Amino acid sequence: MINVVVPIVEDVGKFCEFIDSRSDNHLKFFVGVRESLLPQLVLKSKNVEIRVFKDGCNKEEIINALATCKLTKGKILIVRRVLSDEEFLHLTTSQSDIATLKARHGKLMSAFKSFAKKLVNRFFAFSFFEDISAICYGESMFDLMSVCPNISMATRVNRYVGVTTAQFETNSKPVAREFNKHLNNLKFAMWILFFLGSVAGGVLLCLFTPLVALTVIGVFFWILIALLLLFVGIVNFTRTVSVGNLRFGIAEEVPELRVVPVEEEPKKEQAQKAKKKTATKAASTKTKVSKDVAAFKTTAGNKRTDAKVTPKAARQPNKDTNKKEASNKTLAKVSAQPSGKTTAKQKTAKQPMAKSAAEKPTSKKA
């Protein structure tokens, strides 16, 4: 998913064409527009979330306000002007962590840019992006940029360490930085006038006063301090022109005029249906479990009642039948033995009968 943040303060028609021509499913546009320009904003694309801000806010304040939107995991592309198809393709398909544009300049402008970079890096310990017209952060930078409190400054000041950057040349004019040009020029002119006045005052003081060691030392330090202040003014001037104002506030939104994407409504309905399905499934599983528990309790109760009803007397016939079966088995063994062989018990039983038979003849003879 590619989150495209678009602040609109001018050229509404061109931005509408830019957004409508890119209605892919993997793109999600977060558009911020001034309240007075809302009637001119006519979009056909459905994957757009529009937020309306009060008049008087600039692009950087709108960018800080749009950073609070619910961005989806993926790339973040911040667009300050209408991009061509080639520029948009280069930025969104780049495999680097940070992808920016680079405008083509002449020798004089490129020399001034390199001098400004060295000067700002030397005294402020950071660099800056030459062209802030558009900047794309890769998916690996999503967690960092989604919690950035001032994403406007993060898209203009290059303080990143350990990330890969890519620049793509373009013939389009870069976007101007947001700062008060009149105030910045006035400050720079004041430092120049102060230096020139200090030099002129020191020369006149030396001409119309007797040369004393203290006056010469005083004039020297006076001009030296003016020179240092002029140098500080030059550094601030170049930093302001190259980066703009460092910090911007958050634009004040008009929540009544917010336009929610059309695709979010079916998603909400699907989420509600999914919740209903899960609730019905949970209820059915609860009923099944309760039925199983009840059936288990009834079977356990029946087993206990059966065990209590059967008395000990009912179990005795089983023992008697076992004894009878054992005696029958012994009789069957005895009957199965041959007739010629007699057991010891049979011999003892036949001996008294023989004795009685011998006694009978003696009694007759007498």
Side-chain angles (χ1 to χ4, degrees), residues 32-239:
V33 64
R34 291 176 179 174
E35 187 176 1
S36 59
L37 300 177
L38 182 61
Q40 303 177 21
L41 188 67
V42 180
L43 297 173
K44 298 179 182 179
S45 180
K46 296 180 179 180
N47 54 348
V48 179
E49 181 177 344
I50 301 173
R51 293 196 176 188
V52 183
F53 301 96
K54 290 187 176 181
D55 295 334
C57 58
N58 53 30
K59 290 182 180 180
E60 307 303 325
E61 293 175 347
I62 293 174
I63 289 172
N64 287 334
L66 292 175
T68 60
C69 298
K70 293 182 179 179
L71 306 177
T72 56
K73 181 71 174 180
K75 293 184 178 182
I76 299 175
L77 175 63
I78 297 173
V79 178
R80 290 183 172 90
R81 64 168 173 83
V82 178
L83 300 178
S84 63
D85 295 337
E86 186 179 359
E87 293 172 348
F88 186 82
L89 185 63
H90 282 310
L91 293 172
T92 55
T93 59
S94 176
Q95 300 298 323
S96 302
D97 296 328
I98 300 175
T100 59
L101 298 175
K102 182 180 180 181
R104 294 177 182 176
H105 301 292
K107 292 182 179 180
L108 182 62
M109 184 59 70
S110 60
F112 175 76
K113 289 283 185 182
S114 61
F115 170 75
K117 272 190 174 182
K118 292 178 181 178
L119 191 66
V120 171
N121 193 10
R122 183 71 176 175
F123 289 94
F124 296 96
F126 64 81
S127 182
F128 58 88
F129 298 107
E130 291 186 9
D131 192 354
I132 61 170
S133 301
I135 182 170
C136 183
Y137 293 94
E139 190 173 355
S140 59
M141 301 285 290
F142 178 81
D143 295 332
L144 176 63
M145 300 309 299
S146 59
V147 296
C148 184
N150 192 349
I151 195 170
S152 170
M153 185 174 68
T155 57
R156 292 177 288 115
V157 175
N158 187 4
R159 285 184 177 177
Y160 305 99
V161 179
V163 298
T164 58
T165 59
Q167 291 182 343
F168 302 99
E169 289 189 355
T170 177
N171 294 322
S172 301
K173 186 179 179 180
V175 174
R177 272 72 172 175
E178 295 284 347
F179 64 94
N180 193 339
K181 295 181 180 179
H182 298 290
L183 183 61
N184 191 40
N185 295 332
L186 181 62
K187 287 180 179 180
F188 185 61
M190 287 176 62
W191 293 122
I192 294 175
L193 291 175
F194 179 74
F195 174 73
L196 295 176
S198 299
V199 172
V203 171
L204 293 174
L205 186 64
C206 292
L207 289 175
F208 293 99
T209 58
L211 292 176
V212 184
L214 291 176
T215 57
V216 173
I217 293 172
V219 169
F220 174 75
F221 279 105
W222 181 15
I223 296 173
L224 181 62
I225 291 171
L227 182 63
L228 290 174
L229 292 176
L230 177 62
F231 181 74
V232 171
I234 292 172
V235 171
N236 287 325
F237 179 79
T238 54
R239 194 271 304 163

